[in-house]
Structure formats: structure tokens, C-alpha cells
Amino acid sequence: MIKIKTREEIELMRESALIVSKTLGMLAKEVKPGVSTLQLDKLAEEFIRDHGAIPGFLGLYDFPNTLCMSPNAQVVHGFPTKEPLKEGDIISIDCGALKNEFYGDHAYTFEVGEVDEATKKLLKVTKESLYIGIREFKAGNRVGDVGFAIQEYCENHGYGIVRELVGHGLGKKMHEGPEMPNYGKRGRGKKFKEGMTVAIEPMVNMGTHKIKQLKDGWTILTQDGQPSAHFEHDVAIVDGKPELLSTFKYVYEALGIKSNEEDEFRHEFH
């Protein structure tokens, strides 16, 4: 079910989203060779609780951790483990926080040390496709417009778009309507209206779009073992236009990256 939010509710959602953004920023300094994803998970849980929120994933659908940690060929929903990260790995960190009854849900794929050029390009194109999709999330457009824009951009670069996993509406529940696939046809699907809030999250594979699931019932991998990238933002429709609630600003500050990619989606309202 799609829940339309008031301006006040959108501001509460921004608080939750920004706690996740700051958590990812804190983790950006810690992601390096030799660190285990379980160590990162503990840091994230402490950080979220210290900021007056509850880890959004912990216990949700019986998930046992604060973070979904998905390295290399894992697409999403990987468990944190004691295994240390290695030079050249990539790691998708997906994080949720619950505050004031609203969820934030936000992800970034990090490079571990020096990563090869082909993988760097996969990450770059996937992140670019996220903003290309967000641009289509505006009043009067439809779900298929976002999916089509992401799919076209990524497939033009020769990548596979995961079909079985999708973005989603977000609010007092982690998963509300509408589902937000990263593929589709223009003009199809639910129409976007003022006050809608969603998590848009391209999941893009270097090779085939096909995936498989481990016996743990959670971890999703690419079928061909090639790397997968995942970036996610929380977005609201305000004055008919997409308004970012989450930000990669804290990640970029930690990593020394300069970027103005988010500027067009910040029309701060109060």
C-alpha cells in the first residue's frame, strides 16, 4: 500500500535517513583490508543507537544483524562475517535506522584498497544510474519511467540489471508500496504523486543479470560469479520534484571525494 506523507513526516524521515548517511560516513573510514564485516556491523549498531535510533534491519524478518554486507559477487542481503576484507574487494553496505517511527534505508558500495579499473567503472555507472532514476521520480511520471531510465543506462554499458530484487516505498514500514524495479517500460506502473517516499536502489551486475540464493535463505549472488554493485537513496516528491532525504556527503567527506551530484535534488523546504 502506498502511504502519502505530509511535509512534517517527510522531515522526520529525513532525520532517519541522515542517521543512516552518517553511519555510512563513519564506516567509510573503517573499510580497509584486514577488517572483518562483523567488526563493521558492531560499529554501526553502536553508532545508530548513540544517535537515538534503532538499527532498522536487526530482527526485521528475523535478519540477525545491523548491516547487510555483500562483497564482490554477492548482490545484496549478505551476512556480516569474521572473514577479513581483502585488497581489491568491493563491499555493498546496506543500512537501516528507525527513529520517530520512520525508517531510513540507504546503501553504498565501497572499494577496499585499490580496485581494478573494470570494477571501478561498474561502481561509477551504477551510482550514475541511481541519479538518472531519481530524476524520473516526479509527480505525473510512473514507476516504469524510473526503471526504464536505470535499465537503459546500465545495459548500454553492457551490464546486467537484477530483476528479482527491487526498490520500494518507505515510511513507518521498511517496505511499503510501490515496488520500484530497476527495469521497465516508460509510462507503465503506478503514477507518482506529491508526498510519495521511496528507496531507489539499482543492483547492477558486471555480467549476467541472473542471480542465485544461498541456502542461508538471504544471501543473493550473481549466477556467473562476477561482481555486483548496489547504491541506494531515500527520496520524496516535494513540490512535484524529487527531494533527496539521504546523502553520500558523509561518505565523500571521509574519502576525500568532491561531488555536486546531489545538488539538483536538494530543494530544502521548511
Side-chain angles (χ1 to χ4, degrees):
M1 183 156 168
I2 297 170
K3 304 265 191 189
I4 300 298
K5 314 299 189 299
T6 64
R7 294 280 174 107
E8 291 73 22
E9 288 174 325
I10 289 170
E11 279 306 304
L12 292 175
M13 286 189 67
R14 192 195 299 275
E15 275 189 56
S16 302
L18 288 178
I19 287 169
V20 181
S21 300
K22 288 172 182 174
T23 306
L24 292 174
M26 176 274 294
L27 292 169
K29 296 175 186 166
E30 307 294 334
V31 172
K32 43 186 171 265
V35 175
S36 79
T37 50
L38 209 50
Q39 287 172 280
L40 297 174
D41 189 71
K42 287 191 174 71
L43 287 174
E45 180 176 355
E46 284 171 20
F47 188 89
I48 290 167
R49 293 190 191 282
D50 286 348
H51 283 75
I54 299 166
F57 295 169
L58 187 59
L60 186 73
Y61 313 124
D62 296 325
F63 189 76
N65 296 95
T66 293
L67 302 173
C68 292
M69 306 286 269
S70 310
N72 303 320
Q74 290 187 19
V75 181
V76 285
H77 301 165
F79 292 126
T81 69
K82 291 179 180 172
E83 197 173 321
L85 294 170
K86 301 189 299 295
E87 183 83 19
D89 283 347
I90 57 171
I91 177 87
S92 157
I93 301 183
D94 194 353
C95 179
L98 177 63
K99 188 180 182 186
N100 301 319
E101 297 186 349
F102 285 98
Y103 281 98
D105 174 21
H106 181 32
Y108 192 91
T109 301
F110 293 91
E111 299 175 18
V112 183
E114 276 303 309
V115 171
D116 67 68
E117 287 305 315
T119 306
K120 274 183 194 288
K121 187 184 171 197
L122 171 69
L123 267 54
K124 179 174 182 284
V125 169
T126 303
K127 184 151 65 68
E128 286 168 353
S129 80
L130 170 60
Y131 293 106
I132 285 166
I134 290 169
R135 212 167 279 139
E136 299 295 324
F137 180 60
K138 56 191 175 187
N141 269 13
R142 293 180 180 271
V143 165
D145 297 319
V146 172
F148 175 85
I150 292 170
Q151 179 181 15
E152 182 182 52
Y153 189 73
C154 294
E155 288 183 350
N156 282 346
H157 283 87
Y159 300 137
I161 291 282
V162 174
R163 306 293 202 274
E164 294 86 346
L165 301 152
V166 296
H168 50 90
L170 186 70
K172 289 191 173 181
K173 291 187 174 170
M174 176 66 77
H175 297 107
E176 298 182 351
E179 288 196 342
M180 298 288 294
N182 298 303
Y183 63 96
K185 292 193 163 71
R186 286 202 180 283
R188 299 276 180 87
K190 292 264 191 292
K191 189 182 272 193
F192 300 135
K193 296 176 183 169
E194 183 74 13
M196 282 176 71
T197 50
V198 300
I200 297 175
E201 50 178 323
M203 290 157 266
V204 182
N205 302 341
M206 192 179 283
T208 179
H209 68 82
K210 292 180 180 171
I211 56 170
K212 58 186 178 181
Q213 187 172 41
L214 290 186
K215 288 190 180 134
D216 63 22
W218 282 96
T219 310
I220 305 289
L221 296 111
T222 58
Q223 222 174 73
D224 59 6
Q226 292 204 66
S228 182
H230 174 219
F231 292 88
E232 178 179 20
H233 268 312
D234 301 339
V235 197
I237 295 181
V238 176
D239 295 330
K241 298 184 296 239
E243 167 83 19
L244 269 186
L245 304 180
S246 52
T247 180
F248 291 144
K249 176 178 84 170
Y250 303 105
V251 170
Y252 293 163
E253 283 172 2
L255 299 178
I257 295 169
K258 287 192 167 32
S259 170
N260 60 359
E261 67 195 11
E262 297 181 2
D263 291 358
E264 68 180 285
F265 307 111
R266 297 219 175 276
H267 327 286
E268 305 282 354
F269 62 91
H270 294 287

